[in-house]
Amino acid sequence: MTEGDRSGGDPPDPFDTAELRAAVLASWRGSPTRFREDANAEEDLRLGGYRDRLLVELAQNASDAARTAGVPGRLSVRLVDGELRVANTGRPLDATGVAGLTALRASPKRAEPSVGRFGVGFAAVLAVTDAPRLATAEGGVAFSAARTRDEVAALAESSEETPAAVRELAARGGEVPVLRLVWPTDERPPEGFDTEVRLPLREDVDPGGLLAYMAEQVVDLLLALPSLCEVTIGDRHYSSAGSTDDRMVIRTPDTTRTWLTERATGEWPESTLTGVGVEQRSHARWWLCWAVELDGDGAVLPPSTDVLHAPTPTEERLSLPARLLAGVPVEPDRRRVSDSPATAVVLDQAAHTYPELLSRLDPLERTALVPEPGFPLSDTDERLREAVVQRLRESAWLGAADGSTVAPRRATVLDHFSSELVELLGEVVPGLLRAELSEPAHASALRAVGVHRMGVAELVEVVSGLDRPAEWWHRLYDALLPVERTDRTAREELTALPVPLADGRTVTGVRDLLLPGDGAEEAVAELAELDVTGLRIAAAEAVHPLLERLGARWAGASDLLDAPALVEAVHNSVADARAGADPMRLAEPVLRLVGEAGSRDWLGALALPDADGEVRRADELLLPEAALLEVLDPRAVGPDAPLRTVAGSVLERCSPERLRAVGVLDSFAVLVEEEPDTPHEGIADAEVWWREQERLRGEEWPPSRFVGVRDLDLVAEDVWPEALRLLTANPETARAMREPGGYTPWWIARFAVLEGRSPRQWRTPDAERLAGLYDPVPDVGVDRETLRLAGVRTELTVTDTADAADLVARLADPERGVRAGLTMAAHRALAEAVACERVDSGEIDPPRAVRSVSSAVISADRAVVLDEPWLLGVFEPALVVAGGNSYEFDAEALAELLDLPLASEQGVVEILGQGVTQAWRDVARVPAACELLGAAVPYGEVELRDGLRVRTSEGEHRVHWWVDDGGAVYSERSPDGLARALAWTMDRWQDRFTLAALLADPDATTLLR
């Protein structure tokens, strides 16, 4: 029955509401402040803790009623004739409940577990109505602001003075505490429900908006209130169906939503209830539930932001990716968590339980529930998140590669990953996580819980020292190849990877690693058995492109042969063989490689047995049929000699061609050394040649390359013609003989023997211009070109001190008929050799006799060296040693070599008589002669004489021209004198004869015809 039906008679009052009203009215009448206290308390609830909580509070009551009755909780919300009607199943309202509704903070739920507290949640209805009613099967009750105001006004009629409640009512503008006075009604709930709350909506409430707002809260309520199974809002139906211990399925009109849950409960220790009110302490058990929503594939749908639910929403904001519903002590307004030890117990238990929630998820979904680093949203959030993260670090919930679960603090994740790489390292790295967890999507979560990340450098360190088959390493390289391709910084770290070798060892690092290629398989197998120190040939089963990208080289026969370790092994092979090693174990694979890759200079050091079974270097051995044997001194071949023939057993196993390739001699061998800095050891007279060339070449020494024929000193003296033919028949030795300034032509020219003399003491028969100084070489059966290469002279040159000493001696030999021109040419060559420092004059004994310009051999103590051309006019030609004039040779150098004085140093010269001084341009015929010669007329002057005479200590002499100590030029008036003075002045001494002809012809142009 509604308020409008009261005129039809009073309804039954099964809940004794009259007594309840009387008690309240008596308290208002008897206490001057009670009405005000009740009004303020209700106002605080309506405006404070219970604002915007209408559906939440009614749903809590419905949940408690269903749980108490042990029936499925159902809640129906509908609009009927301007009223909001909320019906529920479960224990109906009784007298105690009615009393609780009218009593502030005195709930009938005190002695039993419930969601609601103190019975004050019903105050939330005041947000939409001033006259709420409740209907049950036994009857109903009603509250009304209007009827309450009437009752307060009636208090004045029954009292002699105005009660305080009346005065307070006036002061409050007619506002009264609605829920303190209750009246009976005879209304009943709809069929199928046990209780219905009926709320006539105030005019300022939007009914449609209210239903829509409530609909938004239903899913959260079903999740928070497990006793509530169904909720209907208008025509929209919601239910929790198919739920299990760890799953809750909520069906809405639009979709089905699944929530993963983890629940826990327990009793509070008595010591933790300090600071908790008496009402709260009556609830001895705590409870909690973690919940996270899943999509249709079971993936986590974490909320962006959330609050702590106790179990309905509080204002404690949380940033965890899962929802926490917990029975924590809250402040009276149910908005904030109580700061008490009891709260700490629940939050600690929530953190302890959190990993169990993760363990119910697929391993790849678990990281979605790791709290992200960031600023906390509240004090509760900070405390809870720190505890959760710490617990996650210690609990085993991460999926490991071996199928187990591992705690983050014991886990390792790869920076670079693949399924293959994780599979390979799963048995090597304890706690290695499965490959999918290395993906970027999991990185932040794993970092938050402190999972160790393994980079390339550490990965390489971990696998170092492992004993695994070559196939395992090949798989590892295959898994790491994408890493090298995508992360260029990883290349340097990957170069330290272990590599299994063909000899069974596993070495660290790719440096100097050789990958066996085509044509080298047999040699690799043989070398692997030798355990050559430093020879790093990868096992064939481990060969992979990654190794090549990291610096390993494909090892064909040529690469293997040039491997530094094999080169060193060859160099040490003689010492190793003499220490007991079988030389053929190394020689055979080396010879096999040589057959594919060709010869190398250093292969001569390879140890091979000789005919007597002794070990020798290959380049100290001869083939039995070697052509070189025909020209060697017999003493050069034998047990104690420099050379020996190779063992026949070697020839049976290796071809002569391969033996020649490793240095076994068939003919003369050529030694080659790149960038030498010292004379080549073991080659005859190399130091002498080196010092001589060093003196001659200066800064251009040492050479960039040394090439020399060896064993020349072992040739028998009487077979040098045959040796020369053998040398020129081989292109390599022939090239060595043609090298300018090279060791080979140098040595042969000095130490070879042709008819008892060295080659440079002979001349070729066609070099007739050298006749007299050198004799023609006898016919030794060698062609002219070979003779020339051997050092037989074809022209006059002075190459060294010994050569100069020999030429000086030949010039002083009176038995030799030497032409005057050849004598002067010889003196020029000697002077040039001294001036160019090819010859050290201090190493040559001064001769007792010299040959003059007249080709006469005279005593050295009578001769002078002509150093100025005009001086020839005052000395006897038979006493003058000359090589031309001062422009063509260094007279001082020749004087130093022969230990003779210079002509200019022999006494004072006086120029006699007087002449006429003229500029050269004014001298007749000089300008025309210069023009015809194509030269400019020189500056300066000349003093002309009809007859030019000079006086020395020996007397007066008539000369054609002269230059005094001051540089003044003198000439007699003759074409010859003028020509010589003009040529000297113009520095064109070679043109003196042409000038003489031009100056002598009155019509010089005739010379052009």
Side-chain angles (χ1 to χ4, degrees):
M1 178 181 289
T2 66
E3 289 186 71
D5 295 330
R6 281 178 288 169
S7 60
D10 292 333
D13 191 5
F15 306 120
D16 198 12
T17 60
E19 183 178 348
L20 294 175
R21 288 196 308 277
V24 173
L25 290 171
S27 67
W28 287 354
R29 184 185 303 109
S31 172
T33 61
R34 184 58 184 269
F35 176 83
R36 182 179 180 184
E37 290 171 355
D38 288 348
N40 287 341
E42 185 177 281
E43 184 179 52
D44 288 344
L45 293 173
R46 175 170 57 84
L47 300 179
Y50 292 92
R51 71 181 186 277
D52 302 327
R53 296 176 65 88
L54 174 59
L55 181 62
V56 170
E57 295 300 331
L58 295 179
Q60 284 185 162
N61 291 335
S63 175
D64 288 340
R67 179 192 49 74
T68 303
V71 298
R74 292 186 297 114
L75 184 69
S76 171
V77 180
R78 59 199 177 104
L79 287 170
V80 179
D81 298 330
E83 288 188 345
L84 182 71
R85 296 188 177 184
V86 184
N88 64 272
T89 59
R91 180 177 177 178
L93 186 67
D94 56 16
T96 303
V98 173
L101 292 176
T102 63
L104 293 176
R105 303 182 65 80
S107 174
K109 305 175 184 178
R110 173 177 181 178
E112 56 188 72
S114 64
V115 176
R117 295 178 62 238
F118 310 138
V120 295
F122 190 70
V125 302
L126 299 178
V128 297
T129 187
D130 293 332
R133 307 190 309 281
L134 288 91
T136 71
E138 300 298 325
V141 295
F143 300 90
S144 171
R147 294 177 72 175
T148 299
R149 279 192 293 270
D150 292 344
E151 293 289 346
V152 173
L155 292 177
E157 300 174 359
S158 61
S159 177
E160 294 181 357
E161 60 181 58
T162 303
V166 176
R167 293 194 300 272
E168 182 64 23
L169 178 62
R172 301 180 73 90
E175 186 177 303
V176 295
V178 177
L179 300 181
R180 290 294 279 131
L181 298 181
V182 61
W183 290 268
T185 71
D186 57 0
E187 296 177 286
R188 299 293 185 268
E191 184 177 354
F193 293 91
D194 298 304
T195 302
E196 184 174 59
V197 177
R198 297 176 177 178
L199 306 174
L201 299 177
R202 294 196 305 269
E203 291 182 357
D204 61 339
V205 177
D206 176 17
L210 181 60
L211 286 182
Y213 178 67
M214 288 182 169
E216 294 176 357
Q217 305 175 53
V218 173
V219 173
D220 289 344
L221 289 173
L222 289 172
L223 183 65
L225 306 172
S227 296
L228 196 60
C229 299
E230 296 181 16
V231 176
T232 300
I233 305 292
D235 58 356
R236 299 177 66 82
H237 185 70
Y238 303 81
S239 66
S240 59
S243 300
T244 62
D245 290 341
D246 62 350
R247 290 286 195 280
M248 176 173 282
V249 180
I250 299 177
R251 293 191 177 94
T252 73
D254 304 317
T255 185
T256 298
R257 300 172 66 177
T258 302
W259 294 76
L260 179 72
T261 60
E262 179 65 31
R263 302 177 187 274
T265 186
E267 293 187 0
W268 273 305
E270 185 66 28
S271 61
T272 64
L273 297 178
T274 303
V276 176
V278 174
E279 295 280 359
Q280 181 67 47
R281 282 193 299 239
S282 65
H283 296 277
R285 297 185 64 82
W286 57 263
W287 61 271
L288 64 88
C289 174
W290 285 106
V292 61
E293 188 174 3
L294 307 178
D295 66 12
D297 298 323
V300 172
L301 295 172
S304 55
T305 58
D306 203 357
V307 296
L308 175 64
H309 293 251
T312 52
T314 67
E315 292 185 358
E316 295 288 354
R317 299 177 64 201
L318 299 181
S319 60
L320 279 78
R323 172 170 294 177
L324 176 62
L325 305 99
V328 296
V330 293
E331 299 294 339
D333 62 1
R334 302 179 62 81
R335 301 282 179 171
R336 295 289 179 181
V337 170
S338 171
D339 184 13
S340 66
T343 299
V345 169
V346 180
L347 296 182
D348 289 345
Q349 289 297 326
H352 185 82
T353 307
Y354 197 80
E356 299 299 326
L357 178 68
L358 273 68
S359 67
R360 297 183 184 279
L361 287 168
D362 180 276
L364 298 184
E365 290 295 321
R366 295 172 184 174
T367 56
L369 295 187
V370 175
E372 293 283 348
F375 291 107
L377 302 181
S378 64
D379 292 343
T380 301
D381 184 42
E382 180 177 20
R383 178 174 183 175
L384 184 59
R385 190 169 61 178
E386 288 179 356
V388 165
V389 171
Q390 183 60 35
R391 182 60 181 166
L392 286 178
R393 289 174 177 168
E394 298 172 354
S395 302
W397 56 273
L398 284 169
D402 60 4
S404 65
T405 56
V406 62
R409 65 187 182 92
R410 293 187 176 89
T412 296
V413 66
L414 298 180
D415 264 344
H416 303 276
F417 67 94
S418 67
S419 298
E420 180 75 4
L421 187 58
V422 172
E423 179 184 347
L424 290 168
L425 298 180
E427 60 185 65
V428 177
V429 181
L432 182 64
L433 300 184
R434 50 192 294 180
E436 297 87 345
L437 292 177
S438 293
E439 294 177 356
H442 303 280
S444 178
L446 297 182
R447 187 164 48 247
V449 292
V451 173
H452 172 65
R453 300 196 68 85
M454 178 180 287
V456 174
E458 185 179 356
L459 185 152
V460 172
E461 182 180 355
V462 165
V463 299
S464 296
L466 291 181
D467 183 14
R468 294 291 187 275
E471 294 83 355
W472 187 91
W473 291 106
H474 185 278
R475 291 174 59 199
L476 179 66
Y477 304 149
D478 198 55
L480 290 173
L481 182 59
V483 177
E484 189 276 338
R485 286 175 173 167
T486 57
D487 184 357
R488 307 305 296 176
T489 61
R491 168 171 289 190
E492 185 63 28
E493 295 164 338
L494 288 173
T495 57
L497 275 171
V499 182
L501 302 184
D503 59 13
R505 295 178 297 143
T506 299
V507 296
T508 298
V510 184
R511 184 178 59 84
D512 298 331
L513 182 68
L514 300 177
L515 308 176
D518 294 339
E521 292 81 358
E522 292 187 28
V524 167
E526 292 171 336
L527 290 171
E529 297 179 359
L530 294 179
D531 189 20
V532 176
T533 301
L535 185 61
R536 297 155 58 95
I537 306 173
E541 298 83 355
V543 172
H544 190 277
L546 175 66
L547 299 178
E548 183 180 8
R549 292 175 65 89
L550 294 176
R553 295 184 295 112
W554 281 103
S558 181
D559 299 296
L560 278 175
L561 195 58
D562 291 330
L566 187 58
V567 174
E568 184 177 359
V570 169
H571 281 297
N572 295 334
S573 60
V574 171
D576 293 340
R578 288 174 179 171
D582 179 3
M584 294 307 295
R585 291 192 66 203
L586 177 63
E588 286 193 296
V590 170
L591 288 165
R592 196 184 305 280
L593 293 173
V594 167
E596 297 289 337
S599 180
R600 302 290 191 277
D601 295 334
W602 48 267
L603 287 169
L606 181 66
L608 291 173
D610 65 15
D612 293 326
E614 298 295 326
V615 176
R616 295 276 189 124
R617 287 171 55 103
D619 58 9
E620 294 176 354
L621 295 172
L622 290 145
L623 293 172
E625 304 299 326
L628 189 59
L629 285 170
E630 301 297 325
V631 298
L632 292 180
D633 189 311
R635 294 170 296 180
V637 182
D640 298 323
L643 301 177
R644 192 75 175 93
T645 55
V646 70
S649 60
V650 176
L651 287 168
E652 293 174 359
R653 300 161 73 174
C654 304
S655 67
E657 290 76 18
R658 294 193 181 187
L659 291 174
R660 291 190 193 98
V662 298
V664 175
L665 300 174
D666 186 19
S667 183
F668 286 103
V670 178
L671 295 177
V672 179
E673 183 180 358
E674 303 294 340
E675 303 293 340
D677 55 6
T678 58
H680 199 290
E681 296 182 2
I683 192 168
D685 304 300
E687 292 186 4
V688 177
W689 169 79
W690 184 278
R691 290 195 302 271
E692 184 175 301
Q693 296 299 314
E694 186 176 29
R695 184 177 68 250
L696 293 176
R697 302 192 190 184
E699 293 183 358
E700 297 180 0
W701 196 258
S704 60
R705 192 168 186 258
F706 170 81
V707 178
V709 177
R710 48 166 282 197
D711 300 327
L712 296 174
D713 57 324
L714 302 182
V715 176
E717 289 189 0
D718 57 346
V719 294
W720 264 106
E722 291 82 352
L724 291 176
R725 288 193 291 272
L726 190 61
L727 285 167
T728 55
N730 185 319
E732 289 190 18
T733 53
R735 280 194 297 271
M737 292 181 66
R738 291 186 176 94
E739 184 183 19
Y743 164 81
T744 302
W746 176 90
W747 196 94
I748 293 176
R750 287 157 179 74
F751 302 108
V753 179
L754 295 177
E755 295 295 327
R757 300 181 189 176
S758 66
R760 67 176 181 169
Q761 292 181 326
W762 298 105
R763 67 173 175 85
T764 59
D766 61 342
E768 295 180 356
R769 59 185 173 279
L770 302 182
L773 275 179
Y774 298 97
D775 299 328
V777 62
D779 185 4
V780 293
V782 178
D783 61 69
R784 180 186 182 281
E785 178 62 14
T786 301
L787 292 173
R788 184 187 70 80
L789 293 176
V792 176
R793 296 180 183 274
T794 58
E795 58 186 19
L796 184 60
T797 58
V798 178
T799 57
D800 56 27
T801 300
D803 201 9
D806 176 69
L807 182 56
V808 168
R810 289 173 182 273
L811 289 170
D813 184 359
E815 299 298 324
R816 292 188 172 276
V818 182
R819 300 185 309 277
L822 182 58
T823 298
M824 294 181 67
H827 286 150
R828 284 198 300 272
L830 288 168
E832 180 188 10
V834 173
C836 295
E837 298 184 353
R838 292 197 302 273
V839 171
D840 184 355
S841 59
E843 296 181 2
I844 299 177
D845 294 332
R848 294 183 179 183
V850 294
R851 196 172 290 263
S852 70
V853 294
S854 65
S855 200
V857 177
I858 59 173
S859 174
D861 58 3
R862 301 178 57 206
V864 296
V865 174
L866 183 68
D867 55 335
E868 300 292 357
W870 58 86
L871 294 175
L872 189 59
V874 298
F875 288 96
E876 294 183 25
L879 301 179
V880 174
V881 174
N885 57 69
S886 60
Y887 305 113
E888 297 177 340
F889 86 115
D890 191 329
E892 292 183 0
L894 182 62
E896 179 183 354
L897 174 68
L898 301 178
D899 195 22
L900 298 178
L902 294 172
S904 62
E905 299 173 346
Q906 303 305 302
V908 178
V909 174
E910 178 184 359
I911 301 173
L912 303 176
Q914 297 293 324
V916 178
T917 301
Q918 286 185 290
W920 279 111
R921 65 177 178 275
D922 296 331
V923 178
R925 300 182 184 173
V926 168
C930 290
E931 181 180 0
L932 291 172
L933 196 62
V937 178
Y939 292 103
E941 299 174 330
V942 61
E943 186 174 326
L944 299 177
R945 303 284 183 93
D946 291 329
L948 182 60
R949 299 182 67 82
V950 298
R951 179 187 294 127
T952 68
S953 60
E954 299 295 330
E956 293 185 8
H957 304 273
R958 183 177 181 276
V959 296
H960 297 290
W961 70 294
W962 199 263
V963 180
D964 66 15
D965 293 341
V969 180
Y970 303 84
S971 173
E972 66 179 5
R973 295 181 184 273
S974 69
D976 183 63
L978 275 172
R980 291 174 182 271
L982 181 59
W984 184 86
T985 302
M986 295 171 63
D987 199 14
R988 296 182 63 154
W989 186 252
Q990 71 277 9
D991 295 323
R992 62 190 183 277
F993 299 113
T994 301
L995 285 171
L998 292 173
L999 294 173
D1001 190 349
D1003 186 4
T1005 58
T1006 60
L1007 295 175
L1008 302 178
R1009 295 194 296 268

